[in-house]
Amino acid sequence: MTGLVALATTTLFLPGAAASPAAADAHPHGSHGRHPLIRADVARPQPSPAPRLYPVNGAVPAKTKNPQVLAGTKVALRPLVIALDNADFGLPTWKSVLDKVGTPYDVLLARSEPLTAARLTRPDGTAKYNAILLTDNALLYPDGNGDYVSALDAAEWQTLWTYESTYQVRQAALYMSWGTFPEDYCLRAGTEGSVGTPVQATLTGAGAQFFDYLKPTAQIPISYSYVYRSKLAPGCDAQPLLMLGTDVAGVLSRSADGRERAGLTFSSNEYLMQTDLLGYGLLRWATRGVLVGEHRHWINADLDDWFNSSDHLYPDGHLETDPGFRLGGVEAASVNAQQVALRELNPLAAGFTLNLPYNGGDLDPEAPARCSAVNTPDALTSFSRCLASSFRWINHTVSHPELNFTSLAVSRAEIGDNLAIGREAGLTVPTEVLKTPAYSGLGVYNPDPNAPDTDPPTDFGLAKSNANLLNAAADLGVKYLHGNMSFNSHKPSCFNCGIYHPLKPSLLIVPDWPTNIGYQTTAPAEQTLFYNSLYGPNGRWPYHDHDLTYQEMLDYESDVALQHVMTGSAYAHTLHQGNLHQYVPGKSLTFDWLQATITKYSAKYRVPLKNPDWMALAGYVQARTAHFAELAAKSDPVWDKTAKTVTYTPAKTGSLFLTGATSSTATSDRYGTDTITQFTTAAGKPITATATPRT
């Protein structure tokens, strides 16, 4: 990533001498939420310069299909990516799309590997690949004499086309130009050139069906690309999918022998929004919607430190640490009202509910369960008990201590007592989920105990976790520990996966996304001051060329969150209780950020945002981890197109996701027009599903 920001810091600003009476429901209880500085990614990496394709004319003569050759009926569910070589611009892009979905694939490097029938077909006649994914449609490279030649010769192109025709396998090109080599896609010359600032493509009627998870009115920003603005040949068997004004930017066509092909006329990098919007659609079409893996969109938000107080940054730059800021009881009702309003305004987020990691040390057990600030020793506790079923509660320890070096007894008390406190107050809290304060105890800490909180911690790796914390958590029934995507040791090796802790394999690390909403900010002026102190031209990590206004900051940071959502990441985003302060009626930093993110998503997509509770989220991450472990066996499910079945014998006991298949022995989710089925697998026990291909 090119830019970094701080998620949370405690002493960027010197504390002022005066404590403000404005702190809501200032509370005398002992805990106080402070957070070390955690650095987080701020932007998509800038892509390398987009390549030109140098169109060539002159189609490779194709053999006429022999009508006596019967179509193959059995196809393994594994795409084949064909690239020039390891330096091919499109190779990491296709890999990124496939890795996010969780589908197995092979790569053929055409300049060095021959393409033969044996490479494409098993000895028993089963096709090895259910889709052919080209990095570009012609695979041309300079021959050193001023001309361009294809990495596949005429015989290899014919071998590929015969395979596609025999097994009715579709071909998708991530990038293509006009020109009739090696075959005619019905595109004709228009204008070409590089674009940096986004140009907006639109969907045609055919494109809206092809990418039916997108809104038909969605604009597709194409940026950092080389674009061939093409024309469609009249009378040709082709349909435009995307348009740039009156020019074609994506096409669906059929060859003379009936093979189906699709492609985009612009380059795409794995970090670009256009890839997030279109990559899955190309893959889904090429596989006819029957594939290993799945792709959905998720949004979850953790608001840490409920019941606790935190440092409070003021617009004049002073930081109040005592008493700091603590939400009031009436504000808890406002949080719920904002949550309800978000659902009503955004049908795609109709089920959205906040997660509240809480610190029970500041919960007052004497406070009655009612939504009133009258006759209660602590209004926040009373409102929280009254609204308990409106939120999802997560164990965040009693008093918010750093757990990097705590004893077994202290660790047990912080975890176990917090569960008991919450449940006694009527909160429904899962035993299995624990979020440690500032992700402490998991191998990331400052080795200098006297260092200021503004010094970033060091990632020593999970092997340097606090064994006492791990043992206490496991003994008390914890199965899932929150990690943080800012720390390399907490980043899983596969998409939407977790990490089984190397010192305690019964515990699964499920990482969160950090945000750039400061834990010590409660209102726009405070947040803007905090943000610009980090990223303004005079900030700690200069990134922007001017100090941002609140709306500019909100627009930028919701883009970062939108990127996570669009890629299909299921991980929750972390904010803090002060960010829920109602700075004007019905408004808070948290819901400003959520609304901005969801509004942008809703302008592009038709499919809903999933918002599972933390047990379901962690269970999904655990299943994805098992799914990728199963893929490592490299034994693919096989789709019998005649029998309309998908069969597979798992190598491991765990989970497997299939899209475009159903089974009475598995759990299915209808997401948009996709059917996603999760199988619980047992090693060596065959599974059978009914294939439900797309047209």
PDB file of all heavy atoms in Angstrom, residues 280-299:
ATOM      1  N   TYR A 280     -15.623 -10.686 -11.124  1.00  0.00           N
ATOM      2  CA  TYR A 280     -16.431 -11.849 -10.766  1.00  0.00           C
ATOM      3  C   TYR A 280     -17.435 -12.175 -11.858  1.00  0.00           C
ATOM      4  O   TYR A 280     -17.683 -13.352 -12.162  1.00  0.00           O
ATOM      5  CB  TYR A 280     -17.159 -11.619  -9.439  1.00  0.00           C
ATOM      6  CG  TYR A 280     -18.140 -12.736  -9.125  1.00  0.00           C
ATOM      7  CD1 TYR A 280     -17.686 -14.015  -8.849  1.00  0.00           C
ATOM      8  CD2 TYR A 280     -19.514 -12.505  -9.125  1.00  0.00           C
ATOM      9  CE1 TYR A 280     -18.574 -15.053  -8.582  1.00  0.00           C
ATOM     10  CE2 TYR A 280     -20.408 -13.531  -8.863  1.00  0.00           C
ATOM     11  CZ  TYR A 280     -19.933 -14.800  -8.600  1.00  0.00           C
ATOM     12  OH  TYR A 280     -20.817 -15.815  -8.349  1.00  0.00           O
ATOM     13  N   GLY A 281     -18.010 -11.156 -12.484  1.00  0.00           N
ATOM     14  CA  GLY A 281     -18.979 -11.396 -13.544  1.00  0.00           C
ATOM     15  C   GLY A 281     -18.378 -12.129 -14.724  1.00  0.00           C
ATOM     16  O   GLY A 281     -19.012 -13.024 -15.312  1.00  0.00           O
ATOM     17  N   LEU A 282     -17.148 -11.765 -15.112  1.00  0.00           N
ATOM     18  CA  LEU A 282     -16.471 -12.484 -16.191  1.00  0.00           C
ATOM     19  C   LEU A 282     -16.244 -13.941 -15.822  1.00  0.00           C
ATOM     20  O   LEU A 282     -16.481 -14.855 -16.623  1.00  0.00           O
ATOM     21  CB  LEU A 282     -15.128 -11.825 -16.503  1.00  0.00           C
ATOM     22  CG  LEU A 282     -15.141 -10.552 -17.348  1.00  0.00           C
ATOM     23  CD1 LEU A 282     -13.720  -9.996 -17.457  1.00  0.00           C
ATOM     24  CD2 LEU A 282     -15.709 -10.812 -18.735  1.00  0.00           C
ATOM     25  N   LEU A 283     -15.755 -14.172 -14.591  1.00  0.00           N
ATOM     26  CA  LEU A 283     -15.519 -15.540 -14.132  1.00  0.00           C
ATOM     27  C   LEU A 283     -16.821 -16.327 -14.081  1.00  0.00           C
ATOM     28  O   LEU A 283     -16.891 -17.477 -14.544  1.00  0.00           O
ATOM     29  CB  LEU A 283     -14.853 -15.522 -12.760  1.00  0.00           C
ATOM     30  CG  LEU A 283     -14.736 -16.885 -12.063  1.00  0.00           C
ATOM     31  CD1 LEU A 283     -13.801 -17.809 -12.834  1.00  0.00           C
ATOM     32  CD2 LEU A 283     -14.259 -16.702 -10.621  1.00  0.00           C
ATOM     33  N   ARG A 284     -17.861 -15.736 -13.518  1.00  0.00           N
ATOM     34  CA  ARG A 284     -19.138 -16.445 -13.382  1.00  0.00           C
ATOM     35  C   ARG A 284     -19.697 -16.826 -14.746  1.00  0.00           C
ATOM     36  O   ARG A 284     -20.190 -17.936 -14.937  1.00  0.00           O
ATOM     37  CB  ARG A 284     -20.130 -15.568 -12.614  1.00  0.00           C
ATOM     38  CG  ARG A 284     -21.429 -16.261 -12.280  1.00  0.00           C
ATOM     39  CD  ARG A 284     -22.397 -15.334 -11.582  1.00  0.00           C
ATOM     40  NE  ARG A 284     -22.838 -14.239 -12.457  1.00  0.00           N
ATOM     41  CZ  ARG A 284     -23.797 -13.378 -12.129  1.00  0.00           C
ATOM     42  NH1 ARG A 284     -24.395 -13.464 -10.947  1.00  0.00           N
ATOM     43  NH2 ARG A 284     -24.146 -12.417 -12.957  1.00  0.00           N
ATOM     44  N   TRP A 285     -19.622 -15.891 -15.712  1.00  0.00           N
ATOM     45  CA  TRP A 285     -20.119 -16.204 -17.049  1.00  0.00           C
ATOM     46  C   TRP A 285     -19.304 -17.327 -17.675  1.00  0.00           C
ATOM     47  O   TRP A 285     -19.851 -18.272 -18.259  1.00  0.00           O
ATOM     48  CB  TRP A 285     -20.064 -14.960 -17.936  1.00  0.00           C
ATOM     49  CG  TRP A 285     -20.448 -15.255 -19.358  1.00  0.00           C
ATOM     50  CD1 TRP A 285     -21.700 -15.303 -19.883  1.00  0.00           C
ATOM     51  CD2 TRP A 285     -19.542 -15.577 -20.426  1.00  0.00           C
ATOM     52  NE1 TRP A 285     -21.645 -15.627 -21.219  1.00  0.00           N
ATOM     53  CE2 TRP A 285     -20.339 -15.806 -21.578  1.00  0.00           C
ATOM     54  CE3 TRP A 285     -18.159 -15.686 -20.525  1.00  0.00           C
ATOM     55  CZ2 TRP A 285     -19.774 -16.143 -22.814  1.00  0.00           C
ATOM     56  CZ3 TRP A 285     -17.592 -16.028 -21.743  1.00  0.00           C
ATOM     57  CH2 TRP A 285     -18.402 -16.249 -22.868  1.00  0.00           C
ATOM     58  N   ALA A 286     -17.970 -17.240 -17.568  1.00  0.00           N
ATOM     59  CA  ALA A 286     -17.108 -18.240 -18.207  1.00  0.00           C
ATOM     60  C   ALA A 286     -17.351 -19.633 -17.651  1.00  0.00           C
ATOM     61  O   ALA A 286     -17.254 -20.628 -18.386  1.00  0.00           O
ATOM     62  CB  ALA A 286     -15.645 -17.844 -18.037  1.00  0.00           C
ATOM     63  N   THR A 287     -17.685 -19.747 -16.377  1.00  0.00           N
ATOM     64  CA  THR A 287     -17.932 -21.052 -15.749  1.00  0.00           C
ATOM     65  C   THR A 287     -19.395 -21.467 -15.822  1.00  0.00           C
ATOM     66  O   THR A 287     -19.764 -22.496 -15.260  1.00  0.00           O
ATOM     67  CB  THR A 287     -17.516 -21.015 -14.270  1.00  0.00           C
ATOM     68  OG1 THR A 287     -18.291 -20.010 -13.594  1.00  0.00           O
ATOM     69  CG2 THR A 287     -16.034 -20.703 -14.111  1.00  0.00           C
ATOM     70  N   ARG A 288     -20.220 -20.676 -16.482  1.00  0.00           N
ATOM     71  CA  ARG A 288     -21.679 -20.881 -16.533  1.00  0.00           C
ATOM     72  C   ARG A 288     -22.296 -20.846 -15.139  1.00  0.00           C
ATOM     73  O   ARG A 288     -23.365 -21.401 -14.908  1.00  0.00           O
ATOM     74  CB  ARG A 288     -22.031 -22.191 -17.255  1.00  0.00           C
ATOM     75  CG  ARG A 288     -21.565 -22.240 -18.689  1.00  0.00           C
ATOM     76  CD  ARG A 288     -21.941 -23.528 -19.384  1.00  0.00           C
ATOM     77  NE  ARG A 288     -21.348 -23.595 -20.706  1.00  0.00           N
ATOM     78  CZ  ARG A 288     -21.900 -23.092 -21.817  1.00  0.00           C
ATOM     79  NH1 ARG A 288     -23.097 -22.517 -21.748  1.00  0.00           N
ATOM     80  NH2 ARG A 288     -21.276 -23.187 -22.983  1.00  0.00           N
ATOM     81  N   GLY A 289     -21.595 -20.199 -14.218  1.00  0.00           N
ATOM     82  CA  GLY A 289     -22.125 -20.046 -12.868  1.00  0.00           C
ATOM     83  C   GLY A 289     -21.990 -21.270 -11.999  1.00  0.00           C
ATOM     84  O   GLY A 289     -22.488 -21.274 -10.866  1.00  0.00           O
ATOM     85  N   VAL A 290     -21.314 -22.313 -12.465  1.00  0.00           N
ATOM     86  CA  VAL A 290     -21.069 -23.520 -11.661  1.00  0.00           C
ATOM     87  C   VAL A 290     -19.576 -23.531 -11.337  1.00  0.00           C
ATOM     88  O   VAL A 290     -18.738 -23.788 -12.213  1.00  0.00           O
ATOM     89  CB  VAL A 290     -21.481 -24.800 -12.416  1.00  0.00           C
ATOM     90  CG1 VAL A 290     -21.237 -26.032 -11.547  1.00  0.00           C
ATOM     91  CG2 VAL A 290     -22.943 -24.723 -12.838  1.00  0.00           C
ATOM     92  N   LEU A 291     -19.239 -23.235 -10.095  1.00  0.00           N
ATOM     93  CA  LEU A 291     -17.834 -23.079  -9.737  1.00  0.00           C
ATOM     94  C   LEU A 291     -17.593 -23.391  -8.277  1.00  0.00           C
ATOM     95  O   LEU A 291     -18.520 -23.372  -7.456  1.00  0.00           O
ATOM     96  CB  LEU A 291     -17.358 -21.653 -10.041  1.00  0.00           C
ATOM     97  CG  LEU A 291     -17.998 -20.507  -9.254  1.00  0.00           C
ATOM     98  CD1 LEU A 291     -17.000 -19.399  -9.003  1.00  0.00           C
ATOM     99  CD2 LEU A 291     -19.204 -19.936  -9.990  1.00  0.00           C
ATOM    100  N   VAL A 292     -16.365 -23.680  -7.971  1.00  0.00           N
ATOM    101  CA  VAL A 292     -15.931 -23.845  -6.584  1.00  0.00           C
ATOM    102  C   VAL A 292     -15.705 -22.457  -5.996  1.00  0.00           C
ATOM    103  O   VAL A 292     -15.127 -21.578  -6.632  1.00  0.00           O
ATOM    104  CB  VAL A 292     -14.639 -24.673  -6.523  1.00  0.00           C
ATOM    105  CG1 VAL A 292     -14.133 -24.783  -5.075  1.00  0.00           C
ATOM    106  CG2 VAL A 292     -14.862 -26.058  -7.114  1.00  0.00           C
ATOM    107  N   GLY A 293     -16.179 -22.255  -4.765  1.00  0.00           N
ATOM    108  CA  GLY A 293     -16.022 -20.968  -4.103  1.00  0.00           C
ATOM    109  C   GLY A 293     -17.290 -20.146  -4.147  1.00  0.00           C
ATOM    110  O   GLY A 293     -18.360 -20.631  -4.550  1.00  0.00           O
ATOM    111  N   GLU A 294     -17.197 -18.883  -3.742  1.00  0.00           N
ATOM    112  CA  GLU A 294     -18.365 -18.007  -3.674  1.00  0.00           C
ATOM    113  C   GLU A 294     -17.900 -16.567  -3.538  1.00  0.00           C
ATOM    114  O   GLU A 294     -16.766 -16.294  -3.150  1.00  0.00           O
ATOM    115  CB  GLU A 294     -19.274 -18.391  -2.504  1.00  0.00           C
ATOM    116  CG  GLU A 294     -18.560 -18.695  -1.184  1.00  0.00           C
ATOM    117  CD  GLU A 294     -18.216 -17.493  -0.342  1.00  0.00           C
ATOM    118  OE1 GLU A 294     -19.011 -16.540  -0.338  1.00  0.00           O
ATOM    119  OE2 GLU A 294     -17.164 -17.500   0.307  1.00  0.00           O
ATOM    120  N   HIS A 295     -18.832 -15.658  -3.862  1.00  0.00           N
ATOM    121  CA  HIS A 295     -18.521 -14.226  -3.773  1.00  0.00           C
ATOM    122  C   HIS A 295     -19.764 -13.491  -3.286  1.00  0.00           C
ATOM    123  O   HIS A 295     -20.817 -13.537  -3.936  1.00  0.00           O
ATOM    124  CB  HIS A 295     -18.107 -13.692  -5.143  1.00  0.00           C
ATOM    125  CG  HIS A 295     -17.707 -12.250  -5.129  1.00  0.00           C
ATOM    126  ND1 HIS A 295     -16.539 -11.804  -4.550  1.00  0.00           N
ATOM    127  CD2 HIS A 295     -18.318 -11.142  -5.620  1.00  0.00           C
ATOM    128  CE1 HIS A 295     -16.443 -10.496  -4.694  1.00  0.00           C
ATOM    129  NE2 HIS A 295     -17.508 -10.059  -5.334  1.00  0.00           N
ATOM    130  N   ARG A 296     -19.615 -12.842  -2.119  1.00  0.00           N
ATOM    131  CA  ARG A 296     -20.706 -12.048  -1.549  1.00  0.00           C
ATOM    132  C   ARG A 296     -20.118 -10.771  -0.975  1.00  0.00           C
ATOM    133  O   ARG A 296     -18.908 -10.593  -0.920  1.00  0.00           O
ATOM    134  CB  ARG A 296     -21.445 -12.853  -0.467  1.00  0.00           C
ATOM    135  CG  ARG A 296     -22.273 -13.996  -1.034  1.00  0.00           C
ATOM    136  CD  ARG A 296     -22.832 -14.924   0.039  1.00  0.00           C
ATOM    137  NE  ARG A 296     -21.839 -15.876   0.517  1.00  0.00           N
ATOM    138  CZ  ARG A 296     -22.120 -16.898   1.321  1.00  0.00           C
ATOM    139  NH1 ARG A 296     -23.365 -17.093   1.733  1.00  0.00           N
ATOM    140  NH2 ARG A 296     -21.168 -17.725   1.715  1.00  0.00           N
ATOM    141  N   HIS A 297     -21.001  -9.868  -0.537  1.00  0.00           N
ATOM    142  CA  HIS A 297     -20.566  -8.583   0.006  1.00  0.00           C
ATOM    143  C   HIS A 297     -21.076  -8.440   1.440  1.00  0.00           C
ATOM    144  O   HIS A 297     -22.221  -8.795   1.736  1.00  0.00           O
ATOM    145  CB  HIS A 297     -21.065  -7.428  -0.857  1.00  0.00           C
ATOM    146  CG  HIS A 297     -20.551  -7.475  -2.258  1.00  0.00           C
ATOM    147  ND1 HIS A 297     -19.293  -7.049  -2.610  1.00  0.00           N
ATOM    148  CD2 HIS A 297     -21.114  -7.937  -3.397  1.00  0.00           C
ATOM    149  CE1 HIS A 297     -19.108  -7.232  -3.899  1.00  0.00           C
ATOM    150  NE2 HIS A 297     -20.201  -7.773  -4.406  1.00  0.00           N
ATOM    151  N   TRP A 298     -20.240  -7.896   2.295  1.00  0.00           N
ATOM    152  CA  TRP A 298     -20.495  -7.874   3.734  1.00  0.00           C
ATOM    153  C   TRP A 298     -20.181  -6.501   4.314  1.00  0.00           C
ATOM    154  O   TRP A 298     -19.309  -5.787   3.829  1.00  0.00           O
ATOM    155  CB  TRP A 298     -19.587  -8.885   4.445  1.00  0.00           C
ATOM    156  CG  TRP A 298     -19.439 -10.212   3.774  1.00  0.00           C
ATOM    157  CD1 TRP A 298     -18.770 -10.472   2.605  1.00  0.00           C
ATOM    158  CD2 TRP A 298     -19.960 -11.470   4.214  1.00  0.00           C
ATOM    159  NE1 TRP A 298     -18.842 -11.809   2.306  1.00  0.00           N
ATOM    160  CE2 TRP A 298     -19.565 -12.451   3.272  1.00  0.00           C
ATOM    161  CE3 TRP A 298     -20.714 -11.857   5.324  1.00  0.00           C
ATOM    162  CZ2 TRP A 298     -19.901 -13.787   3.400  1.00  0.00           C
ATOM    163  CZ3 TRP A 298     -21.047 -13.206   5.461  1.00  0.00           C
ATOM    164  CH2 TRP A 298     -20.648 -14.152   4.506  1.00  0.00           C
ATOM    165  N   ILE A 299     -20.891  -6.145   5.384  1.00  0.00           N
ATOM    166  CA  ILE A 299     -20.490  -4.978   6.162  1.00  0.00           C
ATOM    167  C   ILE A 299     -20.807  -5.249   7.633  1.00  0.00           C
ATOM    168  O   ILE A 299     -21.888  -5.742   7.976  1.00  0.00           O
ATOM    169  CB  ILE A 299     -21.176  -3.681   5.669  1.00  0.00           C
ATOM    170  CG1 ILE A 299     -20.497  -2.460   6.299  1.00  0.00           C
ATOM    171  CG2 ILE A 299     -22.678  -3.695   5.935  1.00  0.00           C
ATOM    172  CD1 ILE A 299     -20.793  -1.165   5.591  1.00  0.00           C
TER     173      ILE A 299
END
